[in-house]
């Protein structure tokens, strides 16, 4: 039984990111892997040690502040679970929050959880549009597509990026990096949402979660015709057609 | 100045004619041209409106509500200008005035009823000085164009605070809308009476979880749809205001909807030749506006009974004896309501969904994941789906993850082929759902194949 933890679904319901939960759960179910979802709101208890996959999305400013306060109280627990190999996906605002700080245009510094070594600063121009990324997952190079929409520009410290930008902006529109990756934590700016279309990533996350529970993590293939077709539309548009 | 006005008006009219000759609808082009030649053209034309400008804004229901109001005023004997095609940015509004003006830049009308995009509201309000503003609802819509909902609402709030003389007609059931009453002197509220039975459906796309004034959570004792319902704040005194005009939930009979509308101490029966609780809200908004403007209630109710839906606002057609519906979808709340209509049909159906991601649709289509397609899993055996438009494949992915079996889903990129495939399906009815830029081509292609049903006559049933 895999347990999926959806953090703050009430607060962070922007940009259809709950599709990431749907995709993870469905792809387990289609393979007969038992899975359940725990939705965790502000102040509600959660044992990160007993969870197999955590999803953290982004919200508007006010909601982001509320979730930051709550997560700060759970920081030590979360950190221990991450070091222990917890599989986690953090998107956009959730991604930024795991870093050291966010600096606003006015120069104000909002501290992050400081779990990962990067920082974000607000840019003058919002980075919006279709994006394609190349990432390495378990020794396999895959292309992922999505939609990015962020004002923050993230700069990585001593941590590796999730992928390399093929088209679009990525972390900051300058250094060609997209997202961040530490152990089994995957951070990205890709909305769309990211998991339903990019089945290689979803399956990789499921595999890692199973492996952490001592199972072999090898998944039977599914028919991904629609997903591949949906990705191909964006790749063609970005002139990356195969 | 008069010369510039005439030149701008004339150029706009020529642009409209040329656009039509080229086969384009050009509902905004005359406005673009006229504004380019003379930026003051809109304010000059508006100043000639004799009684006043009425603006309808909000996320959903703008087109329907403003058309209902315009029709109501016309049936009460007034001359009305309105931007009927749903061209609701400043260019579209200007185009409507250019079209109505004579070659000397003169306008003869009593009212202008304008549907205005919520993000364009501050700019259009500054140039048109509205006397009355109707706000329908606020839902998430095309985030990549406008930033988050909070920002849009805060601009509208600021505009109203600077113009407290504006009269408001507000949806009492939407806390995001009802809050606006604090910024002006006169407000009339409309709403739906609490339902006696029937638990509200899970509202995943609900926007307002927190009080707009104190930030505490809002407590609901009933929902109508999305965040519309009976709410009160757990922190301050903010609560659903008592509506001045209130409707009892409608009874649906065939293709019409009947409701009893209470207004002051009176009750009047309203029959709408359309379906969907959102259309009842639109009719209430229009009726309330009519009462504020002093229209006779019987005239107002009768004109609502003869309302004809605009393109893609649940238009009804017939194809070889089979009912065919066309509806615009542009955000989760509206899409959820369209899905409810699929259930209202008891038999089998073929469902066409066209998703485009052009400028006017919004480039980001991730909102499809905030629509409750999961409810389709319960009726999956009765419905077949044809996905089309630029992002048809993405729509297929969404349906598949919602639990619709892949064998029930076909992706057909070509619109014409997709339409024929849907019309010739085995279902007892066909439903066409399309985003904004897909709507016109779909409607054009449908029209060649179907006949429009006489929904209007149904009102007299």
């Amino acid at each position: 039984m895999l347990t999926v933890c959806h953090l703050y679904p009430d607060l962070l319901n922007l940009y259809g990111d709950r599709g990431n939960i749907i995709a993870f759960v469905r792809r387990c179910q289609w393979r007969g892997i038992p899975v359940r979802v725990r939705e965790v709101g502000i102040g509600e208890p959660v044992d990160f040690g007993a969870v197999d996959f955590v999803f953290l999305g982004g919200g508007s400013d006010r909601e982001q502040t509320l979730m930051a306060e709550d997560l700060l109280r759970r920081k030590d627990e979360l950190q221990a679970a991450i070091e222990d190999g917890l599989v986690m996906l953090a998107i956009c605002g959730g991604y930024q929050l795991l870093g050291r700080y966010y600096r606003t245009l006015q120069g104000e510094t909002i501290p992050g959880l400081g779990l990962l070594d990067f920082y974000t600063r607000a840019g003058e121009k919002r980075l919006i549009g279709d994006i394609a990324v190349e990432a390495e997952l378990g020794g396999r190079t895959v292309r992922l597509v999505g939609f990015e929409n962020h004002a923050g520009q993230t700069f990585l410290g001593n941590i590796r990026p999730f992928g390399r930008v093929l088209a679009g902006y990525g972390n900051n529109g300058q250094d060609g990096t997209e997202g961040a990756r530490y152990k089994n934590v995957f951070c990205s700016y890709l909305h769309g949402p990211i998991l339903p279309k990019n089945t290689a990533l979803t399956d990789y996350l499921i595999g890692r979660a199973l492996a952490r529970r001592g199972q072999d993590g090898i998944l039977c293939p599914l028919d991904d015709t629609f997903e591949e077709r949906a990705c191909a539309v964006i790749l063609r548009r970005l002139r990356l057609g195969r | 100045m008069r010369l510039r006005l005439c030149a701008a008006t004339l150029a706009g009219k020529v642009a409209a004619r040329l656009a039509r000759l080229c086969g384009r609808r050009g509902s905004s082009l005359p406005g673009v041209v006229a504004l380019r030649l003379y930026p003051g053209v809109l304010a000059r034309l508006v100043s000639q409106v004799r009684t006043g400008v009425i603006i309808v804004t909000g996320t959903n229901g703008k087109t329907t509500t403003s058309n209902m109001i315009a029709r109501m005023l016309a049936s009460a004997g007034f001359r009305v200008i309105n931007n009927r095609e749903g061209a609701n940015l400043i260019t579209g509004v200007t185009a409507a005035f250019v079209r109505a003006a004579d070659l000397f830049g003169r306008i003869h009308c009593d009212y202008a009823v304008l549907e205005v995009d919520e993000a364009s509201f501050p700019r259009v309000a500054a140039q048109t000085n509205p006397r009355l503003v109707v706000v329908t609802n606020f839902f998430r819509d095309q985030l990549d164009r406008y930033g988050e909902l909070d920002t849009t609402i805060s601009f509208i709030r600021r505009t109203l605070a600077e113009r407290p003389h504006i009269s408001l007609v507000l949806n009492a059931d939407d806390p995001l809308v009802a809050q606006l009453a604090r910024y002006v002197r006169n407000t009339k509220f409309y709403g739906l009476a609490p339902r006696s039975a029937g638990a509200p459906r899970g509202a995943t796309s609900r926007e307002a979880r927190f009080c707009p004034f104190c930030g505490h959570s809002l407590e609901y004792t009933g929902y109508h749809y999305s965040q519309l319902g009976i709410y009160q704040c757990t922190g301050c005194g903010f609560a659903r205001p008592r509506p001045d005009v209130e409707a009892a939930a409608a009874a649906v009979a065939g293709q019409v909807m009947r409701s009893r509308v209470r207004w002051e101490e009176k009750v009047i029966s309203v029959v709408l030749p359309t379906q969907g609780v959102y259309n009842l809200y639109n009719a209430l908004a229009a009726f309330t506006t009519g009462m504020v403007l002093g229209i006779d209630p019987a005239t107002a109710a009768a004109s609502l009974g003869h309302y004809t839906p605009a393109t893609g606002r649940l238009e009804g057609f017939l194809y070889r004896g089979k009912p065919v519906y066309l509806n615009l979808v542009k955000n989760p709340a509206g899409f959820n309501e369209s899905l409810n209509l699929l259930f209202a049909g008891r038999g089998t159906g073929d469902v066409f969904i066209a998703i485009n991601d052009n400028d006017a649709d919004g480039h980001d289509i991730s909102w499809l994941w905030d629509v409750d397609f999961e409810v389709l899993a319960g009726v999956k055996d009765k419905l077949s789906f044809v996905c089309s438009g630029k992002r048809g494949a993405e729509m297929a992915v969404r349906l598949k993850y919602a639990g619709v079996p892949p064998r029930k889903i076909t992706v057909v990129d070509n619109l014409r082929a997709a339409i024929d495939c849907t019309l010739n399906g085995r279902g007892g009815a066909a439903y066409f759902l399309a985003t904004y830029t897909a709507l016109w081509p779909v409607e054009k292609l449908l029209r060649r194949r179907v006949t429009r049903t006489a929904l209007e006559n149904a009102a007299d049933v």
Side-chain angles (χ1 to χ4, degrees):
Chain A
M1 169 70 78
L2 290 181
T3 304
V4 172
C5 170
H6 189 185
L7 287 174
Y8 318 120
D10 281 357
L11 287 176
L12 311 178
N13 62 343
L14 281 179
Y15 307 113
D17 280 334
R18 78 187 178 109
N20 292 320
I21 301 285
I22 298 172
F24 189 98
V25 168
R26 286 287 188 204
R27 295 185 76 80
C28 286
Q29 287 170 342
W30 288 334
R31 294 181 167 107
I33 302 166
V35 60
R36 65 175 171 199
V37 180
R38 283 217 42 205
E39 298 195 337
V40 177
I42 297 282
E44 288 172 15
V46 58
D47 176 6
F48 285 119
V51 160
D52 298 289
F53 173 59
V54 173
F55 172 67
L56 183 63
S60 64
D61 291 350
R62 181 183 56 197
E63 285 145 8
Q64 191 96 10
T65 313
L66 286 170
M67 90 171 183
E69 285 168 7
D70 191 70
L71 262 190
L72 202 58
R73 287 191 285 272
R74 311 173 191 262
K75 181 186 160 182
D76 294 343
E77 251 184 278
L78 183 59
Q79 188 161 23
I82 287 173
E83 291 301 327
D84 184 48
L86 173 67
V87 182
M88 182 166 181
L89 175 68
I91 299 292
C92 204
Y95 165 25
Q96 295 168 354
L97 185 61
L98 297 182
R100 289 192 280 141
Y101 61 83
Y102 184 99
R103 184 160 291 153
T104 66
L105 271 183
Q106 292 74 36
E108 189 193 347
T109 300
I110 303 165
L113 292 179
L115 293 175
L116 304 177
D117 186 15
F118 57 79
Y119 68 91
T120 306
R121 61 168 192 241
E124 297 278 352
K125 176 183 153 220
R126 239 182 135 74
L127 307 178
I128 303 178
D130 293 316
I131 175 171
V133 172
E134 191 170 77
E136 203 203 286
L137 299 172
R140 219 178 114 211
T141 303
V142 297
R143 282 174 167 188
L144 301 107
V145 300
F147 191 89
E148 59 182 326
N149 181 354
H150 51 111
Q153 302 183 359
T154 297
F155 295 88
L156 303 179
N158 185 25
I159 185 170
R160 63 175 162 139
F162 168 59
R164 187 172 67 86
V165 177
L166 297 174
Y169 299 102
N171 279 336
N172 46 52
Q174 297 159 37
D175 63 16
T177 65
E178 204 290 311
R181 180 168 173 190
Y182 174 75
K183 294 202 167 189
N184 283 335
V185 180
F186 297 79
C187 302
S188 174
Y189 275 117
L190 269 65
H191 294 292
I194 187 172
L195 292 188
K197 270 198 299 286
N198 299 295
T199 54
L201 176 61
T202 319
D203 288 351
Y204 186 68
L205 296 176
I206 294 172
R208 300 298 289 181
L210 288 171
R212 187 162 162 259
R213 289 282 170 239
Q215 300 178 37
D216 65 10
I218 298 169
L219 303 174
C220 58
L222 299 171
D223 178 356
D224 292 337
T225 314
F226 289 145
E227 291 88 336
E228 281 161 15
R229 206 162 155 179
C231 283
V233 169
I234 300 302
L235 288 172
R236 253 199 320 274
R237 178 180 295 181
L238 297 172
R239 299 181 194 289
L240 294 164
R242 275 170 264 206
Chain B
M1 281 317 254
R2 169 60 76 180
L3 197 63
R4 272 185 94 184
L5 177 63
C6 294
T9 309
L10 182 63
K13 284 178 175 296
V14 170
R17 181 64 58 89
L18 286 175
R20 256 197 306 279
L21 280 177
C22 302
R24 288 187 40 197
R25 297 191 54 87
S27 39
S28 300
L29 187 70
V32 175
V33 170
L35 282 168
R36 181 68 61 82
L37 278 177
Y38 178 27
V41 65
L42 179 58
R44 282 289 298 276
L45 292 174
V46 164
S47 66
Q48 303 172 54
V49 177
R50 284 191 285 267
T51 313
V53 172
I54 298 163
I55 288 182
V56 180
T57 192
T59 311
N60 289 350
K62 292 186 288 285
T63 301
T64 300
T65 305
S66 60
N67 288 347
M68 283 173 165
I69 294 171
R71 180 163 193 149
M72 191 181 286
L73 288 168
S75 65
F78 295 104
R79 286 184 64 125
V80 182
I81 291 178
N82 76 323
N83 48 340
R84 206 185 139 95
E85 288 94 343
N88 56 22
L89 307 178
I90 195 147
T91 47
V93 169
T94 307
F97 279 95
V98 165
R99 219 173 3 249
D102 66 14
L103 289 177
F104 303 99
R106 286 181 306 218
I107 295 260
H108 301 283
C109 79
D110 302 299
Y111 285 101
V113 181
L114 308 172
E115 69 152 289
V116 176
D117 179 272
E118 52 284 27
S120 301
F121 176 76
R123 203 167 150 213
V124 176
Q127 296 217 19
T128 58
N129 192 25
R131 162 177 158 177
L132 193 148
V133 172
V134 182
V135 187
T136 57
N137 47 53
F138 287 121
F139 298 119
R140 198 179 311 150
D141 196 15
Q142 304 177 1
L143 285 169
D144 60 315
R145 246 198 326 173
Y146 300 138
E148 285 144 19
L149 193 64
D150 293 351
T151 319
T152 306
I153 298 173
S154 72
F155 286 141
I156 293 177
R157 226 163 28 209
R158 199 177 312 161
T159 305
L160 291 173
E162 286 163 5
R163 300 167 179 273
H165 61 276
I166 289 177
S167 289
L168 288 181
V169 167
L170 300 181
N171 186 338
D173 297 346
D174 185 345
L176 295 175
V177 169
Q179 61 163 317
L180 298 175
R182 296 221 182 158
Y183 303 93
V184 300
R185 285 181 216 116
N186 291 311
T187 300
K188 291 283 182 217
F189 289 102
Y190 62 92
L192 288 189
R195 273 190 288 206
S196 46
R201 279 201 318 123
T204 30
S205 66
R206 194 150 63 85
E207 307 292 350
R209 292 174 166 84
F210 304 100
C211 173
F213 297 108
C214 75
H216 282 80
S217 58
L218 291 178
E219 216 172 63
Y220 278 78
T221 53
Y223 291 109
H224 292 298
Y225 74 100
S226 209
Q227 81 270 14
L228 274 54
I230 318 296
Y231 54 86
Q232 61 175 44
C233 173
T234 52
C236 65
F238 180 59
R240 172 192 185 245
R242 185 176 184 276
D244 300 281
V245 174
E246 192 173 58
V252 177
Q255 290 185 313
V256 304
M257 207 166 40
R258 291 165 193 282
S259 178
R260 292 171 68 75
V261 176
R262 178 192 58 73
W263 151 74
E264 288 172 4
E265 300 309 314
K266 305 171 202 73
V267 174
I268 192 159
S269 176
V270 173
V271 179
L272 294 173
T274 179
Q275 291 176 31
V277 68
Y278 56 97
N279 275 324
L280 184 54
Y281 272 112
N282 296 334
L284 278 179
F287 186 83
T288 311
T289 304
M291 296 308 96
V292 172
L293 299 177
I295 308 280
D296 169 54
T299 307
S303 93
L304 290 174
H306 291 104
Y307 169 72
T308 332
T311 302
R313 272 65 176 189
L314 200 63
E315 270 179 299
F317 305 94
L318 277 177
Y319 176 74
R320 296 181 183 163
K322 172 159 86 175
V324 175
Y325 299 94
L326 171 64
N327 209 12
L328 171 73
V329 287
K330 54 178 185 173
N331 49 39
F335 213 137
N336 282 337
E337 280 303 301
S338 293
L339 292 182
N340 281 340
L341 291 172
L342 299 187
F343 301 117
R346 272 173 234 105
T348 53
D350 293 284
V351 186
F352 163 103
I353 308 178
I355 304 293
N356 275 353
D357 60 355
N358 297 319
D359 288 350
D361 303 296
H363 299 289
D364 182 9
I365 60 161
S366 60
W367 60 270
L368 288 176
W369 291 84
D370 290 325
V371 179
D372 289 324
F373 290 107
E374 277 68 17
V375 297
L376 292 174
V379 288
K380 61 189 176 199
D381 297 328
K382 289 160 59 180
L383 302 173
S384 297
F385 296 85
V386 176
C387 302
S388 190
K390 290 185 161 180
R391 304 297 293 273
E394 192 102 13
M395 187 61 233
V397 171
R398 177 69 188 98
L399 290 173
K400 175 182 157 185
Y401 282 84
V404 176
R407 66 189 155 78
K408 292 281 202 176
I409 309 168
T410 319
V411 181
V412 182
D413 290 330
N414 180 282
L415 275 185
R416 186 189 310 257
I419 287 170
D420 286 332
C421 180
T422 312
L423 284 175
N424 296 317
R426 291 199 201 130
Y431 303 90
F432 287 81
L433 308 175
T435 59
Y436 196 76
T437 66
L439 186 67
W440 299 111
V442 168
E443 202 237 359
K444 210 164 150 188
L445 291 164
L446 262 184
R447 247 179 220 295
R448 290 196 205 127
R449 292 160 170 77
V450 298
T451 47
R452 190 164 182 149
T453 60
L455 277 176
E456 281 187 76
N457 299 339
D460 304 325
V461 173

